[in-house]
Amino acid sequence: MYDSLRSVKIISLILISLGIVFFLLELTAGSVSIFGLVLFMTGFGLHSLMRAVRSEIEKLRIDNAELRRQMKDKWR
């Protein structure tokens, strides 16, 4: 599970950096294209989504540990 989250994080960081590079290259060339901006926004959105998924997984893990502790205490 965490391996796939890590690979998506790496892909999102690559998209962010490529977006910045393409946007800066387009600015220096004098043309205005939205390709770099689209890459950047896609990478940023993907990165934000993965942060949200990771925090939700952590909350579920904490809730699961708490429920297991309660079940153990109940059966004692």
Side-chain angles (χ1 to χ4, degrees), residues 22-75:
F22 275 112
F23 185 72
L24 290 176
L25 284 175
E26 291 165 356
L27 280 180
T28 57
S31 66
V32 178
S33 174
I34 61 168
F35 182 66
L37 202 57
V38 168
L39 279 176
F40 176 77
M41 293 304 288
T42 303
F44 186 74
L46 194 59
H47 186 70
S48 298
L49 181 65
M50 285 303 106
R51 276 196 336 225
V53 166
R54 183 170 283 158
S55 69
E56 287 299 318
I57 287 174
E58 189 63 31
K59 286 179 192 175
L60 288 174
R61 186 182 340 198
I62 291 170
D63 289 344
N64 191 16
E66 179 65 25
L67 288 173
R68 284 180 189 245
R69 186 188 60 76
Q70 288 175 2
M71 290 287 289
K72 248 184 194 180
D73 292 344
K74 184 179 180 179
W75 287 104

